[in-house]
Amino acid sequence: MNSKYEPLFEPLTLPNGVQLRNRFVLAPLTHISSNDDGTISEEELPYIEKRSKDVAIAINAASNVNDIGQAFPGQPSVAHDSDIPGLKRLAAAMKKNGAKALVQIHHGGAQALTNLTPDGDAVAPSAISLKSFGQQHEHHAREITATEIEQTIKDFGEATRRVAEAGFDGVEIHGANHYLIHQFVSPYYNRRNDIWADNYKFALAVVDEVVKAKETYANEDFIVGYRLSPEEAESPGITMDITEQLVNKLCQTAIDYIHVSMMDTHAKTREGQYEGQERLPLIKRFVNGRKPIIGIGSVFTADDALDAIENVGVDLVALGREILLDPQFIDKIKQGREQDIVNYFDPQREDLHQLTPKLWEQFNKGFYPVPRKDK
Ligand SMILES: Cc1cc2nc3c(=O)[nH]c(=O)nc-3n(C[C@H](O)[C@H](O)[C@H](O)COP(=O)(O)O)c2cc1C
């Protein structure tokens, strides 16, 4: 290995005392490849095993905590005890080569797909119509009741219990990307007049319930992370001021890291007092050493990864599209073969990328923006 990449392979200790072997994280990546009933399929096991092999933390795709929260076809479910046998196999595949295996616990909220949810129902902080994953037409989501909110918080706790029982090393709370928890934080989605109008209340109640579930069903080693989106395009939406307050509140909880969901590690703040400043160094300033930060976004080369750690200053760097394109991304850096990393999609080379058939089809159709060999 080229010695300049050594900082990427330094261990890191999380607040709960767990030692991570390096600075790489497998980002949560929806693969639409679980069985129709949300149980784990045969095809997702080798796919995830390959991508978990060299990272410190491997996070499985967003997994719905209850049936009304399902936002993708082929989404893994953590909503039922009957999901546990499959989840045990998934945990074993992800942990096989030494990674800490986490499940991203998720509720789609307004973005749940009404063709998949019971009675075609979808709930959101406030009523809204929108288009979601792969939809041609808008669907309607009604306002979630206070009783349903209480139940949903419990569902996140129950999901955490199942994840612990299945042998995973932790959970990541999906508070990002316009799904339910994000929707409660966002003034665009949350126009309530009751106690849940407070932008932070639902997110913190979920954290509290998950931490309680950890204390009851797991041990100190169990990792609890939180993923957030620092800003949104909608107006009035999540701003860096809201994120600053959320981060401050999260730093006072027992979580073990904050994961900032972005498409570019150098993305800049859109508006407000911090306009034009890079988001990740700002968030680092807000966190002020209280929690480790995971950064992500367009890390397509070994040098991009090093830049995220050394210049942007995040503690851990997550890989999304690039570890989909090349499951050997990290291994190639270790072997001094970083120039061989595949960072484009080649529609002629299914063998090169080793995706699940459904994910391959999505990449081939151009569903996700990635550099392509044929363009
Ligand atoms: C195929 C695909 C599936 C994704 N699924 C999830 C998901 O389940 N949960 C999530 O928080 N983000 C999801 N994302 C966002 C990624 O985790 C990541 O934030 C984004 O791709 C930017 O990182 P990258 O530049 O490394 O790809 C997904 C992205 C892609 C391309």
Side-chain angles (χ1 to χ4, degrees):
M1 180 173 72
N2 184 328
S3 60
K4 79 170 173 173
Y5 298 123
E6 275 165 12
L8 293 170
F9 295 92
E10 275 172 18
L12 180 84
T13 305
L14 293 176
N16 66 350
V18 167
Q19 214 196 42
L20 302 178
R21 59 182 172 178
N22 63 42
R23 302 307 178 100
F24 288 105
V25 174
L26 168 64
L29 294 160
T30 288
H31 47 56
I32 60 165
S33 303
S34 296
N35 296 319
D36 286 344
D37 65 357
T39 54
I40 301 305
S41 69
E42 292 304 322
E43 55 196 42
E44 63 184 290
L45 295 170
Y47 151 87
I48 199 89
E49 186 181 316
K50 284 187 196 93
R51 288 170 173 83
S52 305
K53 193 167 63 68
D54 302 309
V55 295
I57 296 179
I59 309 170
N60 192 39
S63 306
N64 53 299
V65 299
N66 58 24
D67 291 337
I68 201 175
Q70 185 177 349
F72 311 102
Q75 179 169 13
S77 162
V78 284
H80 304 281
D81 283 355
S82 52
D83 297 326
I84 295 174
L87 291 168
K88 282 187 177 165
R89 295 182 67 204
L90 182 71
M94 291 171 71
K95 290 166 70 163
K96 188 170 169 189
N97 295 292
K100 303 289 176 200
L102 273 55
V103 170
Q104 189 184 47
I105 49 174
H106 171 249
H107 186 303
Q111 294 208 61
L113 294 178
T114 47
N115 59 320
L116 300 175
T117 57
D119 305 320
D121 202 9
V123 287
S126 305
I128 191 167
S129 293
L130 46 63
K131 266 196 251 176
S132 189
F133 189 87
Q135 283 185 327
Q136 304 292 332
H137 303 288
E138 288 192 345
H139 69 264
H140 183 71
R142 65 179 171 84
E143 182 180 288
I144 188 170
T145 67
T147 312
E148 288 171 324
I149 292 175
E150 299 288 352
Q151 182 57 48
T152 304
I153 294 164
K154 291 201 182 93
D155 292 341
F156 274 97
E158 279 290 280
T160 303
R161 170 183 63 77
R162 293 183 193 107
V163 169
E165 278 181 28
F168 284 92
D169 301 299
V171 289
E172 176 174 279
I173 298 168
H174 195 344
N177 303 356
H178 302 255
Y179 297 109
L180 186 67
I181 298 176
H182 172 130
Q183 290 159 23
F184 270 100
V185 177
S186 163
Y188 176 78
Y189 293 96
N190 183 350
R191 291 169 275 107
R192 298 179 73 93
N193 298 312
D194 61 1
I195 53 165
W196 300 103
D198 174 337
N199 300 91
Y200 312 103
K201 192 174 172 67
F202 183 74
L204 293 170
V206 170
V207 171
D208 212 44
E209 189 73 19
V210 167
V211 169
K212 263 196 248 152
K214 163 183 170 166
E215 286 163 3
T216 312
Y217 303 109
N219 55 27
E220 188 49 34
D221 288 355
F222 195 78
I223 298 164
V224 178
Y226 187 98
R227 191 172 217 216
L228 59 84
S229 292
E231 282 189 295
E232 63 187 349
E234 287 81 358
S235 182
I238 295 178
T239 59
M240 228 14 145
D241 290 299
I242 290 179
T243 293
E244 182 172 8
Q245 290 199 53
L246 177 63
V247 160
N248 270 323
K249 290 173 196 290
L250 288 172
C251 284
Q252 290 161 32
T253 70
I255 61 167
D256 298 297
Y257 68 77
I258 292 176
H259 187 175
V260 185
S261 179
M262 299 201 310
M263 292 302 282
D264 176 359
T265 52
H266 287 282
K268 293 187 174 142
T269 306
R270 286 173 192 274
E271 57 177 340
Q273 59 170 320
Y274 301 117
E275 185 179 336
Q277 294 187 43
E278 285 196 9
R279 289 169 176 161
L280 281 172
L282 255 181
I283 292 171
K284 193 176 167 189
R285 209 177 83 205
F286 302 156
V287 170
N288 196 18
R290 289 177 289 175
K291 303 285 179 191
I293 300 172
I294 305 180
I296 185 164
S298 301
V299 173
F300 281 106
T301 65
D303 284 331
D304 291 341
L306 191 62
D307 173 64
I309 298 291
E310 294 215 308
N311 303 327
V312 179
V314 294
D315 302 285
L316 294 153
V317 59
L319 304 171
R321 287 165 297 168
E322 40 305 307
I323 205 161
L324 291 177
L325 295 172
D326 191 346
Q328 292 175 42
F329 184 97
I330 299 159
D331 200 35
K332 285 179 180 169
I333 302 175
K334 272 199 242 166
Q335 291 177 27
R337 293 177 51 221
E338 59 277 359
Q339 70 284 357
D340 296 340
I341 289 171
V342 179
N343 45 24
Y344 54 83
F345 178 72
D346 185 345
Q348 307 300 326
R349 294 289 306 277
E350 213 162 336
D351 61 307
L352 200 63
H353 307 302
Q354 302 182 38
L355 296 161
T356 68
K358 287 187 178 134
L359 208 41
W360 164 263
E361 205 181 300
Q362 274 192 316
F363 269 76
N364 205 14
K365 282 188 189 150
F367 193 87
Y368 294 103
V370 279
R372 287 178 77 105
K373 187 148 193 209
D374 55 345
K375 290 276 157 70

